[in-house]
Amino acid sequence: MQFHEIMELLRRRAVAPAELEGIADGLVELAASDDETWSGVWDAVLAEVRRMPPEARGALTDALAARLPAEGTGVARGNVLGLVAVIERTLPGRPGKWSAERGKVLGEVGRQHSLWFGKRYLTLAEAEFEDGRPFAPEVVATLRRSAMDAYGDDRLRALARQLTEPVLNVGEEWTERAMREAEDVPVLQALLRHATTATAARPTRAWERQAGALVEQLGAERVRAIVVPWLALVGRRTFELEHQEWEPDVNAAFDPYNANALRGLTWVLGMLPAHPDAVRALGALVESSLRKASGLGPRSPKTANAAVGALARLDGEPVLAELARLATRVTYKPVLRLIESVLEQRAEELGLSREEMEELAVSDYGLTEVGRTERQLGDFTAVVEVRGVKAALGWRSSAGKVVKSVPAAVKRDHAEELKELKAAVKDADKMLSAQSERLDRQFLADRVWPYAGWRERVLDHPLVGTLARRLLWTVDGTAVGFADGELRTLTDDPVREGGEVRLWHPVGCGSAEIVAWRDWLERHAITQPFKQAHREVYLLTDAERATGTYSNRFAGHVLRQHQFSSLAAVRGWRNKLRLMVDDSAPPATRELPQWGLRAEYWVHGEGHAFGADTTDSGSFLRLSTDQVRFYPIDAPQNWAACYGSDYRMRPSGGAAPVEPLSIADVPPLVLSEVLRDVDLFVGVASVGNDPTWQDGGPEGRYQEYWTSYGFGELSQSAETRRVLLERLVPRLAIADRCTVEGRFLHVTGSRRTYKIHLGSGNILMTPNDQYLCIVPKADPAAPQAGYLPFEGDRMTAVILSKAVLLADDARITDPTILSQL
């Protein structure tokens, strides 16, 4: 029976029993064909059914129930049950005969994130709720999440508001632990329930008054001791939700209903007296909330904002230190702006510059001298030492013997002190990484320190000093380094006073001075926390003088978009992911406020095939690169189509476009540092670095590029690596089998002779330059092949590790390598 025939019969009101049977057959057939939706067709049917006499409605319900599709038929069974439920609800006094069946269908939604086509399930849920049957906690969670959707149904929202149990959604470790611990504590249950009402960006006074009253009943110390461990579990699920391959990864995201409760709990922590555990937990929550989920972006920016807001309400140096650390780690712009505004406000309140305040806020983390402290715990001595950019905890017995692990007596008798010590080491570890990045950014910040303040807050600081003493500085224009307990010049003359201090940069220095400082560092066995004496310098080329307003030095590359975007964010650049849609985007940009400039790197989406060239969500996998340009910082933005077109500036109000600056007018240090960033993007994100791409990628399109990049001319960073290896290789145990020649490190093994490219790390074998694929393990903790004068250059370590392996190729056992030799 066709739909229009069903409607004609229903409109007649007085329907014969035989006709009711036909209507039931037609509706079941319609249910089976209605592809996962409860469309307007069903709304029209129900409108007519409601107008039928009660006796006819009851008979139609029975006829439909008799034709209920078998279990496993999914949509059809659910649609018929929904129709039965709706009709039964219009028959006062008639018991719901099909509650158990409805419950089974509703049970299907407990593993879904939300209901895309919710009316069918909503009808069943409403019928179950009116019958007084409780929903499974998983179903409650799905209904709540669905009600929070921007396109949610008003009926669904009304139903969700009545679902008060459980207080939080199941499926996340922190909520399930919280509900277990609150089970027999009514006040804690009330606090959790109150936390779920945190649906605004900031707490109201009324919200805070109610939260304060609940905290007072429990006690501030108890609340903090309970809540802080919950935050450590945020982001972990207890069961997986179903989702299709092309859908966002909902299991990596926060449950939006629980995220409101998280926001409320962070507000509560912000109301309590500051405590290191709470500060640490809030900072970790910011980072966890901003971790990206595939297809979604940051997991929960609103939770991150709330955690920053809570930190902003707390006082003390640990709070400032945590905010300063987050300012170096967070790349999500809205949250970063909030962090920076809080820091600026605190600096203004203290009458300090932002930089001075951040330096003053860095804790010593219990270190009693630069990079070291000892603490007696019973018969054992805990030794905390900074090694490189890591803090390490070691142990020594009363006899002076090194103990490899935490002594049992310390665990037993000093558990609380041990916990504090481990937390301090972990915090110091995080801060070391943040301070290393902050110092690296000081080149472009053009920072000047007064000598006395610099000694106190930087060079002699117990934590920061471990980094600063491995860098080069200028004191009143004289270059110095730290060795043998003092600042010293190239000739090792001590420097004990001064006026102004800056970070030393090789731009503007002669090659003889740069080489001399490299020798000085090696002579004193100093490993720098990042490249400084070996820092790449990018001077203006004749080609750039000829082009005038742009540099093509890093044009024509193919980069992995997501890797490029992540690296750009870490280096302070702003970039919008390109999607294969009709949209436009500005170039990757870095603002340089100290210089009044904005640097741009022009990139475009690369490829044309959805799937082969995109992720499932439609973002390009790869980008093609073009020019680097500089503009005044307040110039209007350039824009181009995401899939590739010329960048154009569109000033408002009919104003003329702003011309780019002449490359020759850009300060040499700025030009060098910006091009170094871009070289880093290419060096890390280029598909030419991937040893598995020798086939040229999709359809072999990038074969020529991969070959030219993987074995072609060296970039400036690779040239720096070549100079370094020329110094290091003669000192290696395999020196008699290695030589640096041109673009390659040549290694003589027992089976073959190998050429390792100094830019990409790719390998060719004699006699016919056959390619050898060796994929390095992504293990930053793996031991390095010998001394390196700086940290952070993974490619140099990869090249050296390959050289050590191939020099003794007779001992190679990996079958994937042996099959190629």
Side-chain angles (χ1 to χ4, degrees):
M1 185 178 293
Q2 300 296 314
F3 171 69
H4 68 89
E5 295 176 303
I6 296 173
M7 294 300 292
E8 286 178 8
L9 287 173
L10 290 173
R11 290 189 184 109
R12 285 168 44 189
R13 307 289 183 264
V15 183
E19 291 173 325
L20 279 174
E21 296 293 323
I23 291 173
D25 288 335
L27 289 175
V28 170
E29 184 178 346
L30 180 63
S33 64
D34 198 17
D35 185 20
E36 296 210 22
T37 67
W38 186 291
S39 63
V41 168
W42 291 100
D43 290 335
V45 169
L46 292 172
E48 295 301 331
V49 168
R50 289 189 181 97
R51 297 189 182 100
M52 295 173 66
E55 298 80 7
R57 274 179 273 155
L60 179 58
T61 300
D62 292 336
L64 285 168
R67 291 163 173 76
L68 190 65
E71 289 192 32
T73 52
V75 174
R77 185 178 179 83
N79 280 343
V80 173
L81 275 171
L83 189 57
V84 169
V86 170
I87 300 173
E88 280 190 333
R89 291 171 65 194
T90 69
L91 298 171
R94 178 184 173 109
K97 296 180 179 180
W98 299 97
S99 270
E101 296 296 329
R102 294 197 301 259
K104 288 180 182 179
V105 174
L106 281 175
E108 299 171 4
V109 310
R111 295 285 172 157
Q112 298 178 28
H113 179 269
S114 52
L115 306 177
W116 284 89
F117 305 106
K119 286 191 176 180
R120 166 164 61 93
Y121 291 113
L122 175 57
T123 301
L124 298 178
E126 288 173 331
E128 285 292 275
F129 187 76
E130 288 185 6
D131 281 354
R133 292 172 61 90
F135 298 117
E138 297 83 0
V139 176
V140 172
T142 301
L143 293 172
R144 283 171 171 168
R145 289 190 294 265
S146 302
M148 296 180 71
D149 190 278
Y151 301 100
D153 189 282
D154 287 339
R155 286 166 49 205
L156 180 57
R157 292 192 183 98
L159 174 62
R161 282 194 293 270
Q162 300 177 75
L163 303 177
T164 58
E165 295 297 336
V167 63
L168 301 173
N169 281 353
V170 297
E172 295 185 323
E173 280 194 29
W174 83 267
T175 60
E176 296 187 11
R177 174 171 172 174
M179 289 188 288
R180 285 195 305 271
E181 294 182 355
E183 189 172 358
D184 299 320
V185 188
V187 180
L188 188 54
Q189 288 184 32
L191 183 63
L192 283 176
R193 199 173 302 281
H194 184 55
T196 64
T197 66
T199 56
R202 296 178 182 83
T204 63
R205 290 183 180 178
W207 193 98
E208 290 190 340
R209 279 197 300 272
Q210 187 173 345
L214 293 169
V215 168
E216 187 175 356
Q217 294 180 61
L218 288 164
E221 291 290 334
R222 185 181 177 190
V223 170
R224 180 175 53 248
I226 291 172
V227 172
V228 165
W230 295 348
L231 300 190
L233 302 176
V234 170
R236 304 180 192 173
R237 289 201 60 82
T238 56
F239 61 83
E240 295 286 294
L241 296 172
E242 298 172 355
H243 70 100
Q244 300 298 327
E245 290 183 2
W246 61 85
E247 292 177 329
D249 185 4
V250 293
N251 290 300
F254 291 1
D255 184 301
Y257 185 84
N258 293 339
N260 283 341
L262 265 180
R263 178 158 54 184
L265 291 174
T266 63
W267 291 350
V268 169
L269 288 177
M271 296 166 58
L272 306 180
H275 188 279
D277 289 348
V279 172
R280 191 179 299 120
L282 288 168
L285 182 61
V286 172
E287 293 184 278
S288 176
S289 301
L290 296 179
R291 198 165 295 133
K292 291 184 178 180
S294 176
L296 290 170
R299 298 199 289 186
S300 184
K302 72 178 184 182
T303 303
N305 279 329
V308 172
L311 286 169
R313 296 186 60 169
L314 300 174
D315 293 320
E317 286 189 4
V319 178
L320 293 179
E322 187 63 24
L323 286 167
R325 186 188 72 80
L326 288 172
T328 69
R329 306 297 295 170
V330 170
T331 59
Y332 184 65
K333 291 298 180 181
V335 176
L336 179 58
R337 283 196 293 268
L338 178 60
I339 293 170
E340 290 181 336
S341 69
V342 173
L343 287 171
E344 293 289 351
Q345 181 180 345
R346 290 290 181 91
E348 185 177 345
E349 291 170 355
L350 294 170
L352 301 170
S353 71
R354 160 84 176 272
E355 293 80 7
E356 288 174 324
M357 184 200 66
E358 288 185 14
E359 288 170 353
L360 285 169
V362 179
S363 169
D364 58 22
Y365 298 100
L367 300 174
T368 53
E369 56 185 288
V370 175
R372 197 175 190 281
T373 192
E374 293 187 2
R375 186 170 174 180
Q376 196 71 29
L377 296 178
D379 294 332
F380 295 89
T381 302
V383 181
V384 178
E385 288 184 305
V386 174
R387 301 167 187 164
V389 289
K390 295 288 182 182
L393 173 61
W395 298 91
R396 198 172 60 235
S397 69
S398 56
K401 183 179 179 181
V402 173
V403 180
K404 292 184 178 180
S405 59
V406 181
V410 173
K411 292 180 181 179
R412 183 186 65 242
D413 302 332
H414 304 276
E416 192 60 33
E417 293 163 286
L418 177 63
K419 177 184 174 183
E420 293 175 1
L421 193 59
K422 285 184 174 180
V425 170
K426 187 175 181 180
D427 289 347
D429 214 35
K430 291 181 180 179
M431 185 56 77
L432 276 168
S433 176
Q435 291 300 311
S436 178
E437 292 178 16
R438 187 181 69 82
L439 286 169
D440 195 15
R441 294 179 184 179
Q442 299 309 305
F443 293 115
L444 277 175
D446 198 27
R447 180 77 188 280
V448 179
W449 289 264
Y451 181 83
W454 170 77
R455 290 269 342 193
E456 177 188 359
R457 300 193 300 265
V458 181
L459 191 72
D460 296 332
H461 188 278
L463 187 78
V464 182
T466 64
L467 303 170
R469 292 184 176 191
R470 295 186 287 138
L471 294 172
L472 302 178
W473 304 84
T474 63
V475 177
D476 296 334
T478 299
V480 296
F482 190 91
D484 300 324
E486 293 202 74
L487 288 171
R488 298 183 182 277
T489 64
L490 261 177
T491 55
D492 280 340
D493 296 321
V495 174
R496 299 188 175 106
E497 57 184 24
E500 289 186 347
V501 180
R502 296 175 184 265
L503 259 179
W504 179 88
H505 193 285
V507 160
C509 298
S511 58
E513 180 184 355
I514 295 171
V515 171
W517 274 116
R518 291 174 181 176
D519 289 339
W520 187 92
L521 290 169
E522 290 181 29
R523 186 168 72 249
H524 291 285
I526 295 173
T527 297
Q528 297 200 287
F530 47 80
K531 285 185 181 180
Q532 187 188 26
H534 291 80
R535 202 172 187 85
E536 300 84 3
V537 174
Y538 301 79
L539 302 177
L540 194 65
T541 64
D542 290 339
E544 287 159 347
R545 290 188 182 91
T547 56
T549 58
Y550 60 89
S551 169
N552 269 333
R553 204 182 301 195
F554 300 101
H557 290 281
V558 181
L559 312 182
R560 301 177 195 86
Q561 172 169 219
H562 294 82
Q563 191 173 15
F564 163 73
S565 188
S566 297
L567 187 57
V570 169
R571 296 297 300 172
W573 291 67
R574 186 171 64 251
N575 182 60
K576 178 182 177 181
L577 280 178
R578 269 71 174 166
L579 300 177
M580 192 179 280
V581 295
D582 186 13
D583 191 14
S584 58
T589 61
R590 179 170 183 180
E591 293 185 348
L592 306 164
Q594 290 85 354
W595 306 88
L597 298 175
R598 183 182 75 230
E600 296 187 352
Y601 188 28
W602 289 7
V603 295
H604 305 281
E606 171 65 26
H608 51 75
F610 195 94
D613 295 315
T614 69
T615 63
D616 292 332
S617 59
S619 59
F620 282 100
L621 290 171
R622 292 167 289 276
L623 301 173
S624 58
T625 68
D626 202 344
Q627 304 171 4
V628 174
R629 293 191 175 209
F630 292 85
Y631 288 87
I633 196 168
D634 56 355
Q637 191 65 267
N638 286 302
W639 293 82
C642 289
Y643 50 80
S645 68
D646 292 338
Y647 278 95
R648 296 184 183 279
M649 190 178 290
R650 305 184 183 98
S652 59
V658 177
E659 293 298 317
L661 273 69
S662 168
I663 292 287
D665 292 335
V666 177
L669 186 145
V670 174
L671 178 66
S672 183
E673 285 298 299
V674 167
L675 292 183
R676 182 177 184 271
D677 274 355
V678 176
D679 194 358
L680 176 67
F681 302 155
V682 172
V684 172
S686 171
V687 299
N689 284 324
D690 191 337
T692 66
W693 263 55
Q694 66 264 37
D695 62 353
E699 302 171 356
R701 278 181 273 149
Y702 306 107
Q703 179 69 63
E704 184 177 349
Y705 171 74
W706 184 85
T707 302
S708 65
Y709 182 88
F711 301 104
E713 295 301 319
L714 300 182
S715 65
Q716 186 60 49
S717 60
E719 281 288 352
T720 300
R721 186 175 298 121
R722 181 183 63 79
V723 172
L724 172 63
L725 290 175
E726 285 177 340
R727 298 168 63 94
L728 292 183
V729 167
R731 307 173 194 175
L732 299 178
I734 58 172
D736 59 329
R737 283 158 281 171
C738 297
T739 56
V740 177
E741 298 178 19
R743 305 189 300 270
F744 297 92
L745 173 60
H746 293 250
V747 181
T748 302
S750 302
R751 300 171 181 267
R752 299 274 194 116
T753 298
Y754 310 90
K755 298 192 299 183
I756 307 174
H757 191 261
L758 301 180
S760 65
N762 290 336
I763 307 167
L764 297 175
M765 300 184 290
T766 58
N768 57 351
D769 279 354
Q770 177 186 341
Y771 177 67
L772 173 61
C773 179
I774 298 179
V775 180
K777 294 180 180 179
D779 182 9
Q784 294 182 345
Y787 162 81
L788 291 178
F790 50 81
E791 296 169 347
D793 185 355
R794 181 173 180 271
M795 182 56 72
T796 298
V798 165
I799 290 171
L800 288 172
S801 66
K802 287 182 177 181
V804 170
L805 175 73
L806 296 173
D808 196 9
D809 57 2
R811 299 180 65 181
I812 293 175
T813 58
D814 189 322
T816 60
I817 299 177
L818 289 175
S819 64
Q820 302 174 73
L821 297 179

